Amino acid sequence: MSQKKYGIVLDAKNCLNCKACTVACKFENGVEVGDEQYRIWVAEKDLKGTYPNLRLDFEPSQCQHCENTPCASVCPTSATYKTDEGVVLIDYKKCIICKACMTACPYDARFVSEVHHAIEKCTFCYHRLPEGREPACVETCPTKVRVFGDLNDPNSKAAKLLAKHDTYQLKPEKNTRPRLFYIIK
Amino acid sequence: MSAHDTETKQGMVSAIKSLITFNKDIPVMPLIIIGLVLAGIGAVTAVVVLVKGHEAMYAVNREVPWGMLIGTYAYFVITSTGLAFIGGLGHAFGFENFAKIGRRIVVLATLVLLAGFTQILMELGHPVRMIIWMMLSPNFAAPILWMGVFYSIELVILALELYYAFKAHPTEKDHKTAAMLGFAAMVVGTLATSNLGFVFGSLTARPWLYGVHFPLFLVVSGITAGAALLMLVHNIAYKFSIPEEYKPSMDALAKLMGGGIGIMMLMYLWKFLTSIFTQPIGSYESAMALIAGPLAANFWIGEMLLAVIIPLVILLTAKGSTKKYGIAGLIFMIGLYFTRVNYIVAGQMPVMRKATDGSGVHADLSGLGIYSPSIAEWGIFLLGIGVAMVLYFSAEKFLDLKTPEHH
Amino acid sequence: MTLSGMNISRRKFLAASGGVVATGLVAANLSTLKAVAGGHASAPTGEKGEKHIASSCEMCVNKCGFFAHVVDGRLKKLNPNPKFFKSRAMLCARGNAGAEEPYNPERLTKPLLRVGERGEGKWKEISYEEAFKLVAEKLKEFKVKNENRCSVAFASSEGFQEEIFQYLVQSYGSTNTVRHPTLCLSSVIQGWSSVYGVYPDADLKNSKFVIMFGANRAEAIVTPDTIDFVKYKPEGAKLIYLDPRFTNTAAKADKWFPVKPGTDLAFVLGVINVIIKEKLYDAAFVEQFCDGFADLEAMIAPHTPEWAEKECEIPAVEIRWVAREFAKAAPAAVAYPGRRTSWYVNDVYFRRACAILTAICGCWDAPGGICPKASVPIKNLDPLFPYFEMSDDRIDVASTVKNKLPKDKRSENMPTDSVAYLGEKDGSWLRFRDAIIAQDPYPVEAMIVYKQNFIEAVPNRAKTMEMLKKIKFMAVIDIQMTEVAYFADLVIPESTYLERWDSVHNLAGIWPIATFRQPVVEPVFGTKSMFEIAGGIINEMLKLPELWDDADELEVEDFKYDVVEDIFGKPMEEYIKRQLADHPGAYEQMMKEGVFYLSDQAVYGKTRNPEFRFKTRTGKIELANVKYADKGLNPLPIYAAPRQPEPGKYRMILGRHGFNTHTGTQNNEYLWEIQKENVIWINTQEAKKLGVVSGDYVTVKSSVGEQQVKVFSTEKIRKDCVFFAHGYGRLSPQLSLVYKKGASQAAILEDYLEPISGNAAMHETFVTIAKA
């Protein structure tokens, strides 16, 4: 069993909503152009206030690589599985597209891939990790909003950020225990 | 080929031949033809879907991944297990009124289940892979795996029941076996149905679907549907003039159906109250989508009027008219279809993420997911209805579904 | 309800229909679609294996470094180059989407000769050789006919091969070149240069107090500023942002002031007033380096914050606060120069005011302030070209056509029939066009265009089409069927930046770096680079003696040796080697790492030296510009209130965004899917008055045109202006993703001129809006 625990710490206040990450993801992972074909996204939060007192925030996100993994729990063929490092992956050849995982995911992180004819989602660019390369979204970001790393390694940048800052997670009430942490302050 | 083999084969052929009749007085030829037309349309649709791919043909989408086909599948297979339940009451628990129509029940249950399978075959992206990988790398935690297991066992039990139902000279032992099988069909069927409910009830992400309501509601509404469908097919088989000998059976079915609707109403009451009272996240949006949202017409007309109010009123005012039972059954079966699809779609309408700019989420102005079945989905629905009609009415036409007296 | 086949992707659709059309029309050799790519083309090489090749981006002007990940001869992905410190090792959406450019299904693949009417879209495929011969013949034809090489104009846009295009221009000898700056940044260059002699950069990485005026850095990406103003913003630093729109930059700002359009100058004057009146300025710096302070002091006296508030609608108390904070943070304070500043008729004065504010607080050439750009020493080959007799002055200089100026006080004392500081190679697009239409003082009858889509870039599209009527022959070199290509007579496809060699370029700035380009894939469709195209055309020109009869024979001989043989006769690698010859190992480093630099650290203070002479008349930082006075311009940035839209009208304002560059990238699927159509921003209350809601279509109408566009009703904009993004509502059917989708800016913008630098004044147009 690996001691590694991969995760991403995000400093969304630095996000410019430039979509570099979403386009990078599409090329790196061969995701087709298409309204529903996306692994990651940058959502504009609702505009707060009225002219001229306004506030606008952005929230980049993707598969949360939950420790308590509803998508894997409902997958009848074990096509969705978790690696030792806690990365949630899909074995395309086992996927029967029953879409149970899509309904089970509280983050709408999954979609039917027109390329693989299977359910697809963010893999933390698992194929890059052995080469020591960061996920494409992390690497390409102008302001490096996402910081990827081994949360079990106290010397990793991600672990240090996590130790230093208050963070929030998406939908904690679902008890999915996501591996994505958003810095509050 | 040895002489013995030949003999055996001839024996089997004659046995099968003995089963085949041609019931001139059963007026189902037009229904078989309609069924063939519908199944034909469905088959053409299926071919187009297989060529062009599900993504291009179905309207289900990222926000609402399960649509009409899952609803149709549930409609059929749950009705089937409801029928098996009623059959079990007859065989295993000595409800003579149901045992009297045992053959029809088991035939109907089997064929409706098969019709249901057409839907899941056309809904799943890779049905063949399913069979392989459910065996090679099963996930025993997954409700869908158990759905496969239970419905497979149910199909086997129904096949055995069929065998005994049509056995030419049943012995006392056969009756006991049939009773055991009936009991097994009841238990497995109930597990299958409630587990299908759990496929939805396990989804913590979808508050409307999550919880104990749906597994139980499916069992109750499935038995109700079984009763309704039996009253309908008997009316068709006997040209809306059911012989006196079956009157007690029909009365019993009517009571079962009326009682079923009653329990359904009770479940509706608390499901909606718990979903609306203090506006719990997710289930409130689903409930409102049904009551006053995009599904309101389906809900009020289809689900409430056709599947609850009208059948109940008819049953309460039927005064023993089996014809009215049949009409109530027909209306209920139409309404129940909306019930099935509505529930599943409503549960997925509250989107998992707010549909703001850049979120990628598609939603209507009220923030709900968007789904309206495509032509192809209607086509596959017709495939299911057509197959069910052709199979069952052919059975009426070419098999003797009158349960022989055995006491 | 989804109908069958609706979800088939466009790519698949094109692949299918392209095939059908091709077979149908090949016989006639008249295909509109045949010469575009159609479907996925794979690399012709059939090579196997993975490579990571260093090169640089051309999706916008920043030229960020990347490593191209090539798998089996096909480009898979562009990854940011970690050593490319100018862009802080990033690659934006466009940079990433660039990986689709070589394979774009609507790429131009073969030279096309027009056979139908202009704009009819009927073409005949010809070879590159035929195309080169034709261009040379036409160059000869107009030179002979008009006895003036200037009768052929050359339009080009910024890029690494633009210098090669200029070699072609100089080989022909026309002075009529027209470039992008007067649609963009010529006024900010002029404004800052008029004070410091140079156009400097801002050190946002170290600045404690930044004022940005409409420079939407969060969306209009300029490296490294876009990264620095957010990621490296020092602890406690403040960003003040003035813009009529609440952009993503406003979302990142500490304070957003929705300034009344055209009055930013009043705000800056108010700030300067406080700083001088409260003696917050850097007196020592002013004393040592600046000239004209007394004049400034006298001029600024009436411009109190209270006065400014009335003009710009920013509270006086805020102006005071900004002034004091700015002075407190100095020299680590920035009045951000900006880039696309083609805003108002008096834009140069506004930019001057920002430069003056910077100067009096001593925020010059110091960490966190405004700094002159530094360079990496790269050798420019600067070859000599023959001098041709049959040439003339630039038409926008020689012509006496009147400048179109808005009718208000700002236009007083502005040049009326000339541009005060016209860039020699840049020209001034609006005067250029007017002069061609007027044929004043001579006819321009042909144009050679290199990747400048002026139909969609220059305000008043109808007028551009009028100009094209005077152009008897137009050849366009580009990678896609832009509008200019679509209305051309000859279209020559170029290789994309991922398929060609580009020479080394120094990217000047506070952190200077040099980069280049090498092919990461072989040209997918066998296209040629500008280098090969220019070389090919020049070779054909040499075969026509009429083209050389007005030049000195010896000069022509030298030219043949220095340019034709020594540059065009050798591969571009040789050119690159010569550029880097002074630095041993630099070529190898460039090939491997895609960058060359001497240091990745900023150097400050070189010009804060009493001996240093600024490139101004006085050699000092000119708060009052001496030459301006000579030219009859105001030596100081005098304010006059801009005219405002009459009731029922709105001011059209523009702004860039990070999803598309100008009009050049919209037909890339990966960018198109981010923003499929532009929308017009209308203030919520105004939308209510107009009776429209988001999603409705409205007709936007100015005096020069009208467009239909979808409404975005929002709190994020002032009530007196409207905005929509660039690059939509296109005329070329072969930009199918945006063809007739949304609205074109060029179609409704009126062509007002800022006559000091010759920039277009693109925020002077008033429009009416009505439900469509």
Side-chain angles (χ1 to χ4, degrees):
Chain A
M1 193 78 178
S2 165
Q3 292 303 301
K4 285 198 166 85
K5 176 179 166 179
Y6 287 133
I8 291 182
V9 182
L10 298 93
D11 196 351
K13 78 169 189 306
N14 283 354
C15 177
L16 303 171
N17 194 21
C18 75
K19 313 287 189 199
C21 54
T22 61
V23 180
C25 175
K26 286 215 162 182
F27 281 95
E28 181 64 31
N29 297 296
V31 180
E32 284 272 275
V33 169
D35 282 354
E36 294 182 14
Q37 306 282 304
Y38 61 90
R39 290 183 174 195
I40 70 172
W41 58 90
V42 184
E44 249 179 53
K45 308 268 263 186
D46 284 326
L47 183 70
K48 286 182 195 154
T50 52
Y51 174 93
N53 299 304
L54 299 171
R55 182 195 167 110
L56 182 60
D57 292 310
F58 308 112
E59 191 175 76
S61 204
Q62 62 220 78
C63 169
Q64 308 286 306
H65 295 271
C66 307
E67 287 180 30
N68 179 19
T69 321
C71 54
S73 299
V74 300
C75 177
T77 56
S78 311
T80 292
Y81 65 101
K82 217 179 333 181
T83 69
D84 288 349
E85 308 93 338
V87 181
V88 179
L89 298 179
I90 298 162
D91 187 344
Y92 296 139
K93 72 174 185 298
K94 289 185 185 174
C95 175
I96 62 171
I97 322 188
C98 67
K99 298 183 271 189
C101 54
M102 290 173 69
T103 59
C105 174
Y107 306 101
D108 186 4
R110 299 175 153 250
F111 62 98
V112 182
S113 160
E114 291 178 12
V115 180
H116 300 293
H117 296 292
I119 304 295
E120 182 179 336
K121 65 164 196 76
C122 161
T123 61
F124 274 169
C125 284
Y126 198 68
H127 60 286
R128 281 180 161 226
L129 306 182
E131 302 164 35
R133 296 161 69 210
E134 296 180 309
C137 57
V138 173
E139 178 186 62
T140 209
C141 177
T143 56
K144 306 288 180 268
V145 166
R146 290 174 173 91
V147 175
F148 175 83
D150 177 9
L151 304 179
N152 275 350
D153 172 6
N155 291 319
S156 77
K157 213 177 149 196
K160 282 182 184 162
L161 281 173
L162 207 50
K164 193 175 157 196
H165 297 279
D166 286 345
T167 55
Y168 71 91
Q169 290 176 297
L170 302 183
K171 296 195 178 179
E173 72 279 7
K174 298 293 176 196
N175 196 29
T176 52
R177 300 198 290 282
R179 289 279 182 89
L180 259 69
F181 300 86
Y182 291 81
I183 289 175
I184 298 168
K185 220 178 160 359
Chain B
M1 199 181 281
S2 71
H4 176 76
D5 284 349
T6 316
E7 213 167 81
T8 315
K9 204 180 170 194
Q10 277 168 355
M12 274 175 68
V13 169
S14 69
I16 290 168
K17 268 186 184 162
S18 75
L19 280 177
I20 294 173
T21 60
F22 188 77
N23 305 304
K24 277 196 204 128
D25 52 338
I26 294 185
V28 290
M29 225 38 216
L31 292 171
I32 293 174
I33 291 166
I34 292 171
L36 278 171
V37 171
L38 297 183
I41 295 170
V44 171
T45 311
V47 170
V48 176
V49 166
L50 292 177
V51 172
K52 294 208 169 183
H54 293 196
E55 293 78 34
M57 300 299 292
Y58 294 157
V60 282
N61 51 59
R62 193 167 167 147
E63 290 74 35
V64 185
W66 281 340
M68 191 176 185
L69 299 193
I70 291 283
T72 317
Y73 165 73
Y75 177 74
F76 281 122
V77 301
I78 293 163
T79 302
S80 165
T81 48
L83 287 162
F85 189 95
I86 297 171
L89 288 177
H91 284 122
F93 291 95
F95 284 83
E96 191 54 35
N97 287 329
F98 301 140
K100 264 169 84 177
I101 51 171
R103 225 185 227 190
R104 215 164 237 129
I105 291 177
V106 69
V107 168
L108 191 54
T110 311
L111 300 181
V112 166
L113 187 61
L114 289 177
F117 287 163
T118 62
Q119 302 300 299
I120 201 74
L121 279 174
M122 290 308 298
E123 157 67 24
L124 288 175
H126 298 290
V128 178
R129 270 188 202 174
M130 169 178 73
I131 296 161
I132 298 168
W133 292 105
M134 272 196 182
M135 287 194 275
L136 291 184
S137 68
N139 174 13
F140 292 110
I144 286 186
L145 181 92
W146 292 105
M147 186 181 88
V149 170
F150 287 136
Y151 278 107
S152 303
I153 297 173
E154 182 76 357
L155 189 62
V156 171
I157 295 172
L158 286 173
L160 290 171
E161 279 198 296
L162 270 182
Y163 171 77
Y164 286 103
F166 283 91
K167 200 169 174 195
H169 306 290
T171 62
E172 195 52 36
K173 197 179 155 221
D174 289 340
H175 285 301
K176 277 190 181 159
T177 313
M180 274 169 55
L181 283 171
F183 181 69
M186 252 176 108
V187 173
V188 174
T190 305
L191 280 175
T193 299
S194 51
N195 175 75
L196 177 53
F198 185 54
V199 167
F200 304 93
S202 62
L203 300 174
T204 44
R206 314 275 176 171
W208 172 260
L209 301 179
Y210 177 72
V212 74
H213 170 83
F214 208 41
L216 298 183
F217 184 84
L218 288 188
V219 172
V220 173
S221 60
I223 295 167
T224 313
L229 190 57
L230 281 170
M231 294 194 295
L232 174 62
V233 298
H234 276 87
N235 267 293
I236 292 170
Y238 296 104
K239 301 179 205 168
F240 283 86
S241 152
I242 293 173
E244 233 6 70
E245 57 177 309
Y246 292 123
K247 178 89 169 40
S249 300
M250 292 303 114
D251 286 340
L253 287 172
K255 280 179 194 152
L256 191 59
M257 180 177 158
I261 293 177
I263 301 174
M264 281 165 65
M265 285 168 70
L266 196 65
M267 293 192 74
Y268 270 123
L269 175 68
W270 297 114
K271 177 67 179 170
F272 273 92
L273 275 180
T274 53
S275 299
I276 291 168
F277 190 65
T278 70
Q279 308 186 354
I281 281 180
S283 38
Y284 177 73
E285 286 79 12
S286 294
M288 294 314 288
L290 286 166
I291 295 171
L295 296 172
N298 285 358
F299 177 72
W300 290 112
I301 298 169
E303 198 168 341
M304 285 294 119
L305 211 56
L306 299 183
V308 177
I309 297 165
I310 295 177
L312 197 61
V313 168
I314 293 176
L315 288 176
L316 290 174
T317 59
K319 296 191 181 120
S321 159
T322 53
K323 195 175 170 179
K324 288 189 176 170
Y325 293 164
I327 292 166
L330 173 67
I331 293 172
F332 178 83
M333 288 314 291
I334 295 170
L336 185 73
Y337 185 71
F338 290 95
T339 308
R340 294 283 178 259
V341 179
N342 280 356
Y343 188 87
I344 294 166
V345 172
Q348 299 165 81
M349 288 188 93
V351 289
M352 295 291 94
R353 292 183 276 117
K354 208 164 183 186
T356 57
D357 273 357
S359 66
V361 178
H362 296 262
D364 64 15
L365 287 175
S366 62
L368 293 172
I370 301 161
Y371 170 71
S372 156
S374 70
I375 291 170
E377 286 170 278
W378 281 105
I380 301 301
F381 162 74
L382 295 183
L383 176 70
I385 296 291
V387 165
M389 287 174 75
V390 171
L391 288 178
Y392 180 72
F393 292 119
S394 298
E396 284 283 5
K397 196 79 192 170
F398 301 112
L399 296 175
D400 182 7
L401 298 191
K402 191 174 184 310
T403 313
E405 293 287 336
H406 52 73
H407 289 290
Chain C
M1 202 176 273
T2 308
L3 290 172
S4 62
M6 288 288 275
N7 287 355
I8 292 181
S9 77
R10 166 182 161 267
R11 191 194 297 275
K12 285 171 199 152
F13 173 73
L14 272 175
S17 66
V20 173
V21 174
T23 43
L25 293 178
V26 162
N29 207 13
L30 283 175
S31 160
T32 52
L33 272 176
K34 196 153 71 82
V36 301
H40 270 292
S42 55
T45 55
E47 60 180 283
K48 290 276 162 217
E50 291 194 41
K51 285 187 289 191
H52 293 271
I53 303 166
S55 191
S56 63
C57 189
E58 196 195 45
M59 294 296 281
C60 81
V61 300
N62 288 299
K63 293 133 186 137
C64 300
F66 59 69
F67 280 98
H69 185 191
V70 179
V71 181
D72 297 341
R74 191 186 159 95
L75 174 59
K76 179 191 167 187
K77 168 92 172 52
L78 299 169
N79 293 307
N81 180 347
K83 291 214 167 157
F84 201 86
F85 51 77
K86 179 177 184 281
S87 61
R88 315 291 186 227
M90 72 96 179
L91 213 53
C92 74
R94 289 165 294 170
N96 276 283
E100 123 107 340
E101 293 287 293
Y103 310 102
N104 189 299
E106 286 183 313
R107 251 193 87 178
L108 295 166
T109 58
K110 295 267 167 55
L112 296 173
L113 182 65
R114 177 172 67 81
V115 292
E117 290 300 307
R118 258 198 196 150
E120 208 179 22
K122 287 192 179 158
W123 307 94
K124 180 184 159 193
E125 272 185 24
I126 60 172
S127 69
Y128 271 100
E129 289 64 34
E130 289 171 292
F132 298 159
K133 196 171 275 177
L134 180 65
V135 172
E137 284 289 343
K138 289 288 176 185
L139 290 174
K140 180 197 84 178
E141 180 187 323
F142 291 104
K143 178 250 170 193
V144 171
K145 181 185 158 205
N146 296 308
E147 297 190 337
N148 181 3
R149 290 170 184 269
C150 297
S151 61
V152 181
F154 293 77
S156 61
S157 195
E158 175 290 326
F160 281 178
Q161 295 234 355
E162 198 187 15
E163 67 173 318
I164 305 295
F165 182 74
Q166 293 296 337
Y167 288 175
L168 173 64
V169 178
Q170 285 169 277
S171 306
Y172 181 63
S174 171
T175 55
N176 279 329
T177 56
V178 64
R179 303 182 60 247
H180 81 290
T182 56
L183 305 169
C184 184
L185 76 173
S186 64
S187 52
V188 69
I189 292 178
Q190 173 51 221
W192 283 78
S193 302
S194 71
V195 177
Y196 297 96
V198 291
Y199 170 51
D201 273 358
D203 179 12
L204 298 181
K205 198 174 177 180
N206 297 299
S207 187
K208 299 261 168 45
F209 195 85
V210 178
I211 316 172
M212 281 190 183
F213 306 89
N216 179 10
R217 277 300 153 268
E219 297 175 74
I221 297 174
V222 170
T223 60
D225 299 8
T226 292
I227 301 100
D228 290 358
F229 97 93
V230 171
K231 182 170 167 60
Y232 295 110
K233 188 178 169 189
E235 189 82 33
K238 291 268 186 294
L239 170 65
I240 310 307
Y241 183 61
L242 279 71
D243 196 322
R245 269 195 317 141
F246 186 85
T247 62
N248 289 356
T249 305
K252 300 292 153 196
D254 297 279
K255 282 195 185 199
W256 169 57
F257 296 127
V259 62
K260 187 173 183 177
T263 67
D264 306 65
L265 175 56
F267 173 86
V268 178
L269 294 181
V271 169
I272 294 174
N273 174 286
V274 174
I275 285 172
I276 291 182
K277 207 175 262 176
E278 300 185 4
K279 300 214 182 301
L280 303 172
Y281 58 91
D282 185 340
F285 185 86
V286 170
E287 171 66 30
Q288 191 171 9
F289 294 102
C290 301
D291 184 73
F293 185 76
D295 296 344
L296 175 69
E297 201 172 12
M299 181 277 274
I300 208 74
H303 297 304
T304 62
E306 286 69 23
W307 165 85
E309 175 178 349
K310 282 192 199 110
E311 293 297 323
C312 68
E313 299 180 358
I314 298 170
V317 55
E318 295 285 9
I319 297 174
R320 282 215 161 73
W321 177 83
V322 167
R324 288 165 190 161
E325 292 297 312
F326 189 92
K328 207 190 289 170
V334 161
Y336 191 75
R339 187 173 165 91
R340 187 199 63 87
T341 50
S342 43
W343 296 1
Y344 301 100
V345 63
N346 61 343
D347 195 75
V348 169
Y349 287 144
F350 165 54
R351 305 297 155 183
R352 275 185 56 69
C354 294
I356 289 165
L357 169 62
T358 301
I360 61 171
C361 292
C363 308
W364 175 257
D365 204 0
I370 297 285
C371 304
K373 294 177 199 280
S375 295
V376 180
I378 300 300
K379 202 189 282 172
N380 287 324
L381 300 193
D382 289 334
L384 287 176
F385 293 83
Y387 171 76
F388 300 99
E389 296 268 330
M390 289 185 190
S391 194
D392 208 330
D393 282 342
R394 300 184 50 88
I395 192 166
D396 43 7
V397 171
S399 173
T400 54
V401 291
K402 290 273 175 249
N403 292 336
K404 185 174 163 80
L405 305 174
K407 288 186 180 64
D408 65 30
K409 277 197 79 172
R410 294 171 303 160
S411 301
E412 289 172 14
N413 301 322
M414 289 283 193
T416 55
D417 57 2
S418 65
V419 164
Y421 292 92
L422 189 128
E424 189 198 334
K425 286 223 167 110
D426 301 348
S428 172
W429 242 113
L430 297 178
R431 278 193 64 78
F432 193 81
R433 184 178 62 187
D434 284 346
I436 291 177
I437 292 171
Q439 302 195 315
D440 171 33
Y442 54 78
V444 169
E445 296 186 318
M447 282 185 90
I448 313 292
V449 184
Y450 178 46
K451 70 169 227 173
Q452 188 181 41
N453 189 12
F454 54 77
I455 293 179
E456 288 299 335
V458 182
N460 196 345
R461 191 163 79 181
K463 209 181 215 184
T464 304
M465 301 314 270
E466 200 186 323
M467 177 193 80
L468 286 183
K469 287 189 192 139
K470 308 281 180 191
I471 302 296
K472 300 200 169 80
F473 175 78
M474 179 159 76
V476 172
I477 300 144
D478 213 318
I479 60 169
Q480 281 203 42
M481 192 63 94
T482 63
E483 279 69 18
V484 168
Y486 190 68
F487 287 96
D489 306 296
L490 173 67
V491 179
I492 306 177
E494 200 201 4
S495 297
T496 66
Y497 67 103
L498 295 160
E499 303 165 309
R500 61 173 201 235
W501 291 93
D502 280 5
S503 59
V504 179
H505 283 252
N506 159 52
L507 307 181
I510 298 175
W511 297 270
I513 194 165
T515 189
F516 84 130
R517 293 197 184 103
Q518 60 181 319
V520 303
V521 289
E522 290 303 313
V524 178
F525 297 101
T527 48
K528 293 183 188 296
S529 67
M530 187 65 230
F531 182 73
E532 293 163 299
I533 292 167
I537 293 171
I538 291 169
N539 271 332
E540 290 299 330
M541 287 165 67
L542 286 169
K543 294 177 190 164
L544 305 172
E546 297 92 328
L547 277 171
W548 310 96
D549 58 8
D550 57 339
D552 181 273
E553 245 175 72
L554 287 175
E555 282 184 21
V556 174
E557 284 311 306
D558 282 351
F559 163 76
K560 282 182 187 166
Y561 181 76
D562 290 344
V563 177
V564 181
E565 272 181 44
D566 226 24
I567 294 179
F568 287 109
K570 291 176 180 168
M572 181 63 98
E573 294 100 299
E574 291 305 314
Y575 189 103
I576 292 168
K577 275 181 190 157
R578 282 164 70 185
Q579 289 186 292
L580 295 170
D582 293 346
H583 308 279
Y587 176 77
E588 289 71 21
Q589 184 193 353
M590 187 60 93
M591 295 295 295
K592 204 169 140 228
E593 298 180 345
V595 290
F596 172 64
Y597 54 91
L598 299 181
S599 163
D600 58 0
Q601 298 301 310
V603 177
Y604 301 95
K606 272 190 181 168
T607 64
R608 288 177 79 109
N609 170 350
E611 304 298 310
F612 184 81
R613 245 194 95 79
F614 287 87
K615 285 185 206 143
T616 55
R617 174 74 63 85
T618 58
K620 292 208 158 200
I621 296 170
E622 291 192 357
L623 306 180
N625 186 292
V626 179
K627 279 199 256 177
Y628 274 36
D630 296 348
K631 285 190 180 247
L633 300 169
N634 280 312
L636 286 162
I638 300 296
Y639 178 82
R643 70 202 172 109
Q644 293 298 335
E646 53 265 42
K649 285 195 174 184
Y650 301 88
R651 184 188 295 273
M652 174 77 192
I653 55 170
L654 314 187
R656 302 290 177 220
H657 56 83
F659 309 143
N660 277 301
T661 304
H662 307 300
T663 65
T665 58
Q666 283 79 2
N667 206 41
N668 178 312
E669 290 182 299
Y670 291 86
L671 297 173
W672 164 79
E673 73 169 338
I674 300 172
Q675 187 180 54
K676 292 179 181 167
E677 181 176 343
N678 55 358
V679 292
I680 187 163
W681 294 34
I682 304 176
N683 179 282
T684 323
Q685 293 182 36
E686 292 300 311
K688 219 173 264 172
K689 266 194 227 164
L690 291 163
V692 294
V693 295
S694 290
D696 286 351
Y697 278 85
V698 289
T699 303
V700 187
K701 202 169 174 181
S702 75
S703 73
V704 300
E706 63 177 68
Q707 291 280 290
Q708 298 212 336
V709 62
K710 211 193 267 186
V711 170
F712 171 53
S713 161
T714 178
E715 292 290 299
K716 298 201 287 183
I717 191 165
R718 285 174 60 96
K719 288 182 198 169
D720 52 2
C721 35
V722 292
F723 159 85
F724 61 77
H726 49 89
Y728 295 85
R730 305 296 288 271
L731 298 176
S732 165
Q734 276 161 262
L735 303 172
S736 62
L737 294 178
V738 283
Y739 176 55
K740 293 184 175 168
K741 287 264 165 34
S744 158
Q745 287 180 349
I748 66 157
L749 286 179
E750 293 164 11
D751 47 337
Y752 291 106
L753 185 77
E754 175 277 292
I756 300 181
S757 76
N759 213 353
M762 300 196 197
H763 294 209
E764 299 278 10
T765 303
F766 301 152
V767 298
T768 57
I769 291 168
K771 197 165 178 174

